Amino acid sequence: MNQRNNIWSGVDWITIGLFFLLAIFGWMNIYGAGYSFEQTSIFSFSNRAGKQFVWLITAFVLGFCLLMIDEKTYDILGYWLYGATIIVLIITPFLAHDIKGSLSWISFGSVSIQPAEFAKCFTAIAIAKYMGRYGYRVESWKDLVVPCVMIVVPMVIIMVLQKETGSALVFAAFLLPLYRQGMTGKIMGGGVVLIIVFVVVLKLGWIPDSAMDKVFEPHQKNRIEVLLGIKEDPTGAGYNVNQSLIAIGSGGLTGKGYLKGTQTKMKFVPEQDTDFIFCTVGEEWGFLGSTAVLLIYMAFLLRIITIAERQRDNFSQVYAYSVVGIFFVHLMINVGMVLGLLPVIGIPLPMFSYGGSSLWGFTLLLFILLRLDASRINKLH
């Protein structure tokens, strides 16, 4: 009983508060993104906000249940969860319906689930188990082989079989725990240099179209070329970003007011309650509101880093930095594509975008970490 009481007293309630603050504000903006003069109540199942409310309540229940599970369970089942995840990812394309070229969604009646959202969490647990071994440090490239394979396998399955580039790119977030455990900065720096070289070469037109066609889907190639200014396509690949920038710009300093966004009401921005929900914030809440949201995200990320640094075992610390990396990559890519700084690849804004899979995925990530953190008081230095 005393140990259970210690766990509840050790739960980081500030982080939970920030998590649900973002989730609730996201839910409000989902309602705003789909709002019209004939709109039903925010709790009605006839609109996405009503459905998101159900996901929000279930996320709260899921989080509570995760805090009740013994923290040793995640270490013990780490490899089993990872293996099951790989199997599910492989069979998903054979069960999924084609949604805009993606084969990553499995339907159960009126509910659709995207396994890739949960794969990030279970991959993080498996990597934490491997790197959490006593005395493990990254001292040479040989120490990186197994973790990198564990990262690349689900990444390739999601990108090649499921044709879901956005979800696959998130796995680059696992470079952060590798770096924290001793991976040289030269490797991360080398990756950045390769990206810069690729952009420059592409900009100069030195990559044949045939080579690009083998690597990217046609719509992905178009989005990259539009982003780099190689070609213009305001009614095609560049339409979403152009309309997004118009919506954000029209919000000005303080915004047009909640439920008063004209770009939103006229449905000018596609996917405005999912991938492009941040432009709803910009239009209705303005520059100040958008800045406030980003500051809350910053506080949230800094809080998780604080949690990571106070862990007393490698398993918990590696997992914590995986969580930080995943949240950061989601935030950076989503906001970057909405502002036209990155290609449009379709990736949800954490706790904000509509969708049960993403909200549950982020809930799993965070509350498993909070459970590990709560038990640190029972561990010796």
Side-chain angles (χ1 to χ4, degrees), residues 15-30 52 56 59 273 277 296-297 300-301 304 327 330-331 348-355 358-363 365-367:
T15 304
I16 292 178
L18 292 171
F19 177 86
F20 282 107
L21 175 62
L22 289 167
I24 291 172
F25 193 45
W27 168 56
M28 291 173 58
N29 281 276
I30 290 171
Q52 186 70 5
L56 187 58
D273 56 3
I277 194 168
I296 296 174
Y297 272 115
F300 178 71
L301 290 173
I304 300 178
F327 275 107
H330 267 274
L331 176 64
L349 184 62
M351 290 82 76
F352 247 75
S353 296
Y354 170 79
S358 62
L359 183 57
W360 272 32
F362 292 129
T363 302
L365 274 170
L366 182 65
F367 279 83

Coordinates of all heavy atoms in Angstrom, one line a residue, residues 15-30 52 56 59 273 277 296-297 300-301 304 327 330-331 348-355 358-363 365-367:
T15 N 3.0 17.6 -16.0 CA 3.1 17.1 -17.3 C 1.7 16.6 -17.8 O 1.3 16.9 -18.9 CB 4.1 16.0 -17.4 OG1 5.4 16.4 -16.9 CG2 4.3 15.5 -18.9
I16 N 1.0 16.0 -16.9 CA -0.3 15.5 -17.2 C -1.2 16.7 -17.5 O -2.0 16.7 -18.5 CB -0.9 14.7 -16.1 CG1 -0.2 13.4 -16.0 CG2 -2.4 14.4 -16.3 CD1 -0.7 12.5 -14.8
G17 N -1.1 17.8 -16.7 CA -1.9 19.0 -16.9 C -1.6 19.6 -18.3 O -2.5 20.0 -19.0
L18 N -0.3 19.7 -18.7 CA 0.1 20.3 -20.0 C -0.5 19.4 -21.1 O -0.9 19.9 -22.1 CB 1.6 20.4 -20.1 CG 2.2 21.4 -19.1 CD1 3.7 21.3 -19.2 CD2 1.8 22.9 -19.5
F19 N -0.4 18.1 -20.9 CA -0.9 17.2 -22.0 C -2.4 17.4 -22.2 O -2.8 17.6 -23.4 CB -0.6 15.7 -21.5 CG -1.2 14.7 -22.4 CD1 -0.4 14.2 -23.5 CD2 -2.4 14.1 -22.2 CE1 -0.9 13.2 -24.4 CE2 -2.9 13.1 -23.1 CZ -2.1 12.7 -24.2
F20 N -3.2 17.4 -21.2 CA -4.6 17.6 -21.4 C -5.0 19.0 -21.7 O -6.1 19.2 -22.3 CB -5.4 17.0 -20.2 CG -5.5 15.5 -20.1 CD1 -4.7 14.8 -19.2 CD2 -6.3 14.9 -21.0 CE1 -4.8 13.4 -19.2 CE2 -6.3 13.5 -21.0 CZ -5.6 12.7 -20.1
L21 N -4.2 20.0 -21.3 CA -4.5 21.4 -21.7 C -4.4 21.4 -23.3 O -5.2 22.0 -23.9 CB -3.5 22.3 -21.1 CG -3.5 23.8 -21.5 CD1 -4.9 24.4 -21.2 CD2 -2.4 24.6 -20.9
L22 N -3.3 20.9 -23.8 CA -3.2 20.8 -25.3 C -4.3 20.0 -26.0 O -4.8 20.4 -27.0 CB -1.8 20.3 -25.6 CG -0.6 21.1 -25.3 CD1 0.7 20.3 -25.4 CD2 -0.5 22.3 -26.3
A23 N -4.6 18.9 -25.4 CA -5.7 18.0 -25.9 C -7.0 18.7 -25.9 O -7.8 18.6 -26.9 CB -5.7 16.7 -25.2
I24 N -7.3 19.4 -24.9 CA -8.6 20.1 -24.8 C -8.7 21.3 -25.7 O -9.7 21.5 -26.4 CB -8.9 20.5 -23.3 CG1 -9.1 19.3 -22.4 CG2 -10.1 21.5 -23.2 CD1 -9.2 19.6 -21.0
F25 N -7.6 22.0 -25.8 CA -7.6 23.2 -26.7 C -7.6 22.7 -28.2 O -8.2 23.3 -29.0 CB -6.3 24.0 -26.5 CG -6.4 25.4 -27.2 CD1 -7.5 26.1 -27.1 CD2 -5.2 25.8 -27.9 CE1 -7.5 27.4 -27.8 CE2 -5.3 27.0 -28.5 CZ -6.4 27.8 -28.5
G26 N -7.0 21.5 -28.4 CA -7.0 20.9 -29.7 C -8.4 20.5 -30.1 O -8.9 20.7 -31.2
W27 N -9.1 19.9 -29.1 CA -10.5 19.5 -29.3 C -11.4 20.7 -29.7 O -12.3 20.7 -30.6 CB -11.0 18.9 -28.0 CG -12.5 18.6 -27.9 CD1 -13.3 18.0 -28.8 CD2 -13.4 19.1 -26.9 NE1 -14.6 17.9 -28.4 CE2 -14.7 18.6 -27.2 CE3 -13.2 19.8 -25.7 CZ2 -15.8 18.9 -26.4 CZ3 -14.3 20.1 -24.9 CH2 -15.5 19.6 -25.2
M28 N -11.2 21.9 -29.0 CA -11.9 23.1 -29.3 C -11.7 23.6 -30.7 O -12.6 24.0 -31.4 CB -11.5 24.2 -28.3 CG -12.0 24.0 -26.9 SD -11.3 25.2 -25.7 CE -12.0 26.7 -26.5
N29 N -10.4 23.4 -31.2 CA -10.1 23.9 -32.5 C -10.5 22.9 -33.6 O -10.8 23.3 -34.7 CB -8.6 24.1 -32.6 CG -8.2 25.5 -32.0 OD1 -8.2 26.5 -32.6 ND2 -7.8 25.4 -30.7
I30 N -10.7 21.6 -33.2 CA -11.3 20.7 -34.2 C -12.7 21.1 -34.4 O -13.2 21.1 -35.6 CB -11.2 19.3 -33.6 CG1 -9.8 18.8 -33.6 CG2 -12.1 18.3 -34.4 CD1 -9.6 17.5 -32.9
Q52 N -14.1 13.3 -31.3 CA -12.8 13.5 -30.6 C -13.0 13.6 -29.1 O -12.1 13.2 -28.4 CB -12.2 14.8 -31.1 CG -10.8 15.1 -30.6 CD -9.8 14.1 -31.2 OE1 -10.1 13.3 -32.1 NE2 -8.5 14.2 -30.8
L56 N -11.0 11.6 -26.4 CA -10.3 12.4 -25.3 C -10.6 11.7 -23.9 O -9.7 11.5 -23.1 CB -10.8 13.8 -25.3 CG -10.1 14.8 -24.3 CD1 -8.6 14.8 -24.5 CD2 -10.7 16.2 -24.5
A59 N -8.8 8.4 -23.8 CA -7.4 8.7 -23.5 C -7.1 8.9 -22.0 O -6.1 8.4 -21.5 CB -6.9 9.9 -24.4
D273 N -8.8 20.1 -39.9 CA -9.0 19.6 -38.6 C -8.0 18.4 -38.3 O -8.0 17.9 -37.2 CB -10.4 19.1 -38.3 CG -10.9 18.1 -39.2 OD1 -10.2 17.7 -40.1 OD2 -12.1 17.7 -39.1
I277 N -4.4 21.7 -38.8 CA -5.2 22.3 -37.7 C -4.5 23.6 -37.2 O -5.2 24.5 -36.7 CB -5.5 21.3 -36.6 CG1 -6.6 21.9 -35.7 CG2 -4.3 21.0 -35.8 CD1 -7.2 20.9 -34.8
I296 N 3.4 26.5 -24.9 CA 2.9 25.4 -24.1 C 3.6 24.1 -24.5 O 4.0 23.3 -23.7 CB 1.4 25.3 -24.2 CG1 0.7 26.5 -23.6 CG2 0.9 24.0 -23.5 CD1 -0.8 26.5 -23.8
Y297 N 3.8 24.0 -25.8 CA 4.5 22.8 -26.3 C 5.9 22.8 -25.9 O 6.5 21.7 -25.5 CB 4.5 22.8 -27.9 CG 3.3 22.0 -28.5 CD1 2.3 22.7 -29.2 CD2 3.1 20.7 -28.3 CE1 1.2 22.1 -29.8 CE2 2.0 20.0 -28.9 CZ 1.1 20.7 -29.6 OH 0.0 20.1 -30.1
F300 N 6.0 21.8 -22.3 CA 5.8 20.3 -22.3 C 7.0 19.5 -22.6 O 7.4 18.6 -21.9 CB 4.7 20.0 -23.3 CG 4.3 18.5 -23.4 CD1 3.6 17.9 -22.4 CD2 4.6 17.8 -24.5 CE1 3.3 16.6 -22.4 CE2 4.3 16.5 -24.6 CZ 3.6 15.8 -23.6
L301 N 7.7 19.9 -23.7 CA 9.0 19.2 -24.1 C 10.1 19.4 -23.0 O 10.8 18.4 -22.7 CB 9.5 19.7 -25.4 CG 8.6 19.3 -26.6 CD1 9.1 20.1 -27.9 CD2 8.6 17.8 -26.9
I304 N 9.4 17.1 -20.1 CA 9.8 15.7 -20.4 C 11.3 15.5 -20.3 O 11.8 14.5 -19.8 CB 9.3 15.2 -21.8 CG1 7.7 15.3 -21.8 CG2 9.7 13.8 -22.0 CD1 7.1 14.9 -23.1
F327 N 7.8 13.4 -29.9 CA 6.9 14.6 -29.8 C 7.6 15.8 -30.5 O 6.8 16.6 -31.2 CB 6.7 15.0 -28.3 CG 5.6 14.3 -27.6 CD1 5.9 13.3 -26.7 CD2 4.3 14.6 -27.9 CE1 4.8 12.6 -26.1 CE2 3.2 13.9 -27.3 CZ 3.5 12.9 -26.4
H330 N 7.3 15.4 -34.4 CA 5.9 15.6 -34.8 C 5.6 17.1 -34.9 O 5.0 17.6 -35.8 CB 4.9 14.9 -33.9 CG 4.5 13.6 -34.3 ND1 3.4 13.3 -35.2 CD2 5.0 12.3 -34.0 CE1 3.3 12.0 -35.4 NE2 4.2 11.4 -34.7
L331 N 6.0 17.8 -33.8 CA 5.7 19.2 -33.7 C 6.4 20.0 -34.8 O 5.9 20.9 -35.5 CB 6.1 19.8 -32.3 CG 6.0 21.3 -32.1 CD1 4.5 21.7 -32.1 CD2 6.6 21.6 -30.7
P348 N 0.3 14.2 -37.9 CA -0.6 15.0 -36.9 C 0.2 15.9 -36.0 O 1.3 15.6 -35.6 CB -1.3 13.9 -36.2 CG -0.4 12.7 -36.3 CD 0.3 12.8 -37.6
L349 N -0.5 16.9 -35.5 CA 0.1 17.8 -34.5 C -0.3 17.1 -33.2 O -1.5 16.9 -32.9 CB -0.5 19.2 -34.6 CG 0.0 20.2 -33.6 CD1 1.5 20.5 -33.8 CD2 -0.8 21.6 -33.8
P350 N 0.7 16.8 -32.3 CA 0.4 16.1 -31.1 C -0.7 16.7 -30.2 O -0.7 17.8 -29.9 CB 1.7 16.1 -30.3 CG 2.7 16.2 -31.4 CD 2.1 17.1 -32.4
M351 N -1.7 15.8 -29.9 CA -2.9 16.2 -29.0 C -3.8 17.2 -29.7 O -4.9 17.5 -29.1 CB -2.4 16.7 -27.7 CG -1.8 15.6 -26.8 SD -0.1 15.3 -27.1 CE 0.6 16.8 -26.3
F352 N -3.5 17.7 -30.8 CA -4.3 18.7 -31.5 C -5.1 18.2 -32.6 O -6.3 18.4 -32.7 CB -3.4 19.9 -32.0 CG -3.6 21.2 -31.2 CD1 -3.1 21.3 -30.0 CD2 -4.3 22.2 -31.8 CE1 -3.3 22.5 -29.3 CE2 -4.5 23.4 -31.1 CZ -3.9 23.6 -29.8
S353 N -4.5 17.4 -33.5 CA -5.1 17.0 -34.7 C -6.2 15.9 -34.4 O -6.1 15.2 -33.4 CB -4.1 16.3 -35.7 OG -3.2 17.2 -36.1
Y354 N -7.3 15.9 -35.2 CA -8.3 15.0 -35.0 C -7.8 13.6 -35.3 O -7.1 13.3 -36.2 CB -9.5 15.3 -36.0 CG -10.5 14.2 -36.0 CD1 -11.5 14.0 -35.0 CD2 -10.5 13.2 -37.1 CE1 -12.4 13.0 -35.1 CE2 -11.5 12.2 -37.1 CZ -12.4 12.1 -36.1 OH -13.3 11.1 -36.2
G355 N -8.2 12.6 -34.5 CA -7.9 11.2 -34.7 C -7.6 10.5 -33.4 O -6.9 10.9 -32.5
S358 N -3.8 8.6 -33.2 CA -2.7 9.5 -32.8 C -2.8 9.9 -31.4 O -1.8 9.9 -30.6 CB -2.7 10.8 -33.7 OG -3.9 11.5 -33.6
L359 N -4.0 10.2 -30.9 CA -4.2 10.6 -29.5 C -3.9 9.5 -28.5 O -3.2 9.6 -27.5 CB -5.7 11.1 -29.2 CG -6.0 11.6 -27.8 CD1 -5.0 12.7 -27.5 CD2 -7.4 12.1 -27.7
W360 N -4.3 8.3 -28.9 CA -4.0 7.1 -28.1 C -2.5 6.8 -28.1 O -1.9 6.4 -27.1 CB -4.8 5.9 -28.6 CG -6.2 5.8 -27.9 CD1 -7.0 6.8 -27.5 CD2 -6.9 4.6 -27.6 NE1 -8.1 6.3 -27.0 CE2 -8.1 4.9 -27.0 CE3 -6.6 3.2 -27.8 CZ2 -9.0 4.0 -26.6 CZ3 -7.5 2.3 -27.3 CH2 -8.7 2.7 -26.8
G361 N -1.9 7.0 -29.3 CA -0.5 6.7 -29.4 C 0.3 7.6 -28.6 O 1.3 7.2 -27.9
F362 N 0.0 8.9 -28.5 CA 0.7 9.9 -27.7 C 0.4 9.6 -26.2 O 1.3 9.8 -25.4 CB 0.3 11.3 -28.1 CG 0.7 11.7 -29.4 CD1 -0.2 12.3 -30.4 CD2 2.0 11.6 -29.8 CE1 0.2 12.7 -31.6 CE2 2.5 12.0 -31.1 CZ 1.6 12.5 -32.0
T363 N -0.8 9.2 -25.9 CA -1.2 8.8 -24.5 C -0.3 7.7 -24.0 O 0.2 7.7 -22.9 CB -2.6 8.5 -24.4 OG1 -3.4 9.6 -24.9 CG2 -3.0 8.2 -23.0
L365 N 2.6 6.7 -25.2 CA 4.0 7.2 -25.1 C 4.2 7.9 -23.7 O 5.2 7.6 -23.0 CB 4.3 8.2 -26.2 CG 4.8 7.6 -27.5 CD1 4.9 8.7 -28.6 CD2 6.2 7.0 -27.3
L366 N 3.4 8.9 -23.4 CA 3.6 9.7 -22.3 C 3.3 9.0 -21.0 O 4.1 9.1 -20.0 CB 2.7 11.0 -22.4 CG 2.9 12.0 -21.2 CD1 4.3 12.6 -21.2 CD2 1.9 13.1 -21.3
F367 N 2.2 8.3 -20.9 CA 1.8 7.8 -19.6 C 2.7 6.5 -19.2 O 2.8 6.3 -18.0 CB 0.3 7.4 -19.5 CG -0.5 8.7 -19.3 CD1 -0.8 9.5 -20.3 CD2 -0.9 9.0 -18.0 CE1 -1.6 10.7 -20.1 CE2 -1.7 10.1 -17.7 CZ -2.0 11.0 -18.8

